[in-house]
Amino acid sequence: GSGSFLLHQTDSEKTLADRVDSQDSQVSDMDPNERSWPRQNSLSLREWDIPFDELQIEETIGVGRFGVVYKGNWHGSVAIKMLNMDDMDDKKTLETFKQEVANFRKTRHENLVLFMGACMKPPRLAIVTSLCKGMTLYKHIHVRKEKFNLSRTIRIAQQVCQGMGYLHAREILHKDLKTKNIFYENGKVVITDFGLFSVTKLCQGNRKGDWLTIPKGWLCYLAPEVIRSLKAGNQPDDTDLPFSTASDVYAFGTVWYELLYGEWPFHGQPPEGIIWQVGKGMKQPLTNIQASQDVKDILMACWAYKPVERPHFGNIQSTLLKLPKKRLARSPSHPIHLSRSAES
Ligand code: ADP
Ligand code: MG
């Protein structure tokens, strides 16, 4: 497509969390008489089934990687994420979807979007969550060009860490942490779309044959090890993308960068250039950046080349707590200078 970059993807992608829950979802697929798992398990997944007819679908909110997101009503205002599956009859596709749903329903945290249920009868596959009010951090930062002072930036980052730390404690990887998936309203952060990444690549519009389109602004969230495996992905029998808690932490580093500087790292560079640099362990230079060393240290720690060297969300939170909150992170007179080196 226009300006997009194509890479090969593999079909199977399993995380620890996927495996943990695959038991439940297998159960629900079986005939009740054939079932070997305890009945209770199956019921617990069914509880989250929403009959499609019960949903009142209202206006379109937007189109994303999964398909169309609608505002709707189901016992109150909800967001309905309709999934456009490539191949509805494909058992594996449905299985992946059910696994993601099984993951999703385990989450209860203030900083995570509320999962309400899912429509699980093909071809009507949809995920229903609470409707986030307010705007995404992406809108605040990149569209409205808002500048948060350092104390607000820290409060936002702390809530992101809280939600992410919780997900990791539940053995759920986000895999798609980005400012477009973080809502911010009245001082409160709500993270969305965790654990849905495996579904996205099964959706229409993302694929051209066996190739996946890389959406603009996505690469800068990908850790070197993930980028490197995209590069290596030209072989047909490629292995899974190595997402991990550490790759989520890398993505958080990019969010922290955007919060501080109002721009994406490697802004304006072509995908090939970003892939090459990140894969080689190069980072967005911070030399021109007006920020205290401890603020930059967080960035460098999250962006560490080796996954094992990246901190956990708990560590980041304690570091954030110790930061002095007074200074402005971005000088209004130098808001975008840091990206100059990347653009030239
Ligand atoms: P992306 O995250 O890449 O923007 P999505 O498919 O997740 O793509 O979202 C499509 C649109 O729907 C975006 O504008 C997003 O902000 C909006 N959206 C997604 N989930 C919700 C939600 N729970 N509440 C309100 N708006 C949402
Ligand atoms: Mg999203």
Side-chain angles (χ1 to χ4, degrees):
S2 55
S4 58
F5 194 73
L6 301 174
L7 290 166
H8 190 78
Q9 287 286 296
T10 53
D11 278 317
S12 65
E13 181 183 304
K14 284 218 168 195
T15 65
L16 180 57
D18 292 333
R19 286 196 297 272
V20 165
D21 253 328
S22 62
Q23 299 177 347
D24 287 10
S25 40
Q26 277 161 12
V27 171
S28 70
D29 227 16
M30 287 180 198
D31 186 277
N33 303 322
E34 289 171 30
R35 209 183 273 138
S36 57
W37 294 92
R39 192 177 170 77
Q40 216 184 340
N41 263 354
S42 143
L43 285 175
S44 65
L45 191 57
R46 291 257 162 87
E47 265 173 42
W48 302 102
D49 258 2
I50 298 177
F52 190 78
D53 302 337
E54 285 186 13
L55 292 175
Q56 273 169 262
I57 295 180
E58 292 159 16
E59 72 261 26
T60 306
I61 303 175
V63 183
R65 298 240 294 276
F66 310 87
V68 185
V69 181
Y70 297 94
K71 184 179 180 300
N73 198 291
W74 189 69
H75 307 289
S77 287
V78 292
I80 303 167
K81 214 155 240 204
M82 298 280 282
L83 306 192
N84 293 320
M85 292 296 188
D86 266 342
D87 184 359
M88 286 299 182
D89 300 326
D90 186 348
K91 258 207 135 144
K92 198 177 156 200
T93 304
L94 189 61
E95 204 46 50
T96 308
F97 177 66
K98 288 187 171 176
Q99 276 168 23
E100 314 273 72
V101 169
N103 255 343
F104 219 141
R105 83 200 150 110
K106 295 194 298 190
T107 57
R108 294 160 171 271
H109 190 275
E110 235 199 320
N111 301 118
L112 300 180
V113 75
L114 176 69
F115 170 73
M116 297 182 70
C119 303
M120 309 234 238
K121 283 210 181 67
R124 303 287 197 193
L125 298 185
I127 286 177
V128 182
T129 66
S130 60
L131 185 71
C132 297
K133 299 184 190 81
M135 289 179 287
T136 59
L137 283 181
Y138 161 82
K139 268 231 169 103
H140 282 286
I141 296 171
H142 300 284
V143 179
R144 309 243 312 214
K145 308 278 180 197
E146 285 169 36
K147 292 170 175 67
F148 301 122
N149 64 30
L150 187 57
S151 68
R152 182 178 291 223
T153 297
I154 292 171
R155 280 199 301 272
I156 293 172
Q158 275 172 332
Q159 293 180 61
V160 175
C161 284
Q162 251 156 31
M164 289 302 299
Y166 170 91
L167 278 183
H168 287 182
R170 302 296 246 145
E171 299 189 301
I172 297 168
L173 301 177
H174 192 302
K175 300 184 189 176
D176 198 17
L177 182 64
K178 55 180 185 178
T179 46
K180 281 188 173 177
N181 282 337
I182 305 170
F183 281 82
Y184 182 62
E185 198 210 7
N186 288 334
K188 201 183 154 199
V189 161
V190 174
I191 302 170
T192 65
D193 292 343
F194 28 90
L196 293 177
F197 187 81
S198 315
V199 169
T200 66
K201 54 182 201 184
L202 299 166
C203 295
Q204 278 167 5
N206 291 331
R207 289 185 140 214
K208 299 193 173 154
D210 278 341
W211 301 81
L212 177 94
T213 308
I214 295 191
K216 202 173 155 257
W218 181 55
L219 278 175
C220 58
Y221 297 100
L222 293 186
E225 66 276 11
V226 179
I227 290 246
R228 290 176 75 94
S229 74
L230 285 177
K231 263 171 84 176
N234 286 322
Q235 283 98 42
D237 52 315
D238 183 32
T239 47
D240 303 345
L241 291 177
F243 287 109
S244 63
T245 54
S247 67
D248 278 348
V249 168
Y250 184 96
F252 170 82
T254 300
V255 171
W256 179 236
Y257 181 94
E258 291 173 74
L259 280 168
L260 291 168
Y261 309 122
E263 200 40 273
W264 280 292
F266 302 110
H267 171 68
Q269 298 200 33
E272 299 86 335
I274 301 176
I275 289 176
W276 187 81
Q277 290 176 77
V278 174
K280 285 249 181 278
M282 289 160 73
K283 298 179 182 75
Q284 161 75 46
L286 303 180
T287 41
N288 283 338
I289 285 171
Q290 298 214 328
S292 62
Q293 194 54 45
D294 31 10
V295 161
K296 292 182 186 177
D297 285 347
I298 296 177
L299 264 180
M300 287 302 129
C302 294
W303 283 348
Y305 184 71
K306 291 187 186 159
V308 288
E309 285 170 7
R310 291 174 213 144
H312 295 285
F313 280 106
N315 309 131
I316 303 170
Q317 240 179 309
S318 2
T319 313
L320 286 170
L321 269 175
K322 287 183 221 141
L323 288 180
K325 296 189 174 61
K326 272 177 280 155
R327 265 192 61 210
L328 276 177
R330 263 190 281 168
S331 154
S333 55
H334 300 89
I336 46 173
H337 280 193
L338 67 126
S339 52
R340 195 188 272 157
S341 60
E343 274 171 341
S344 57

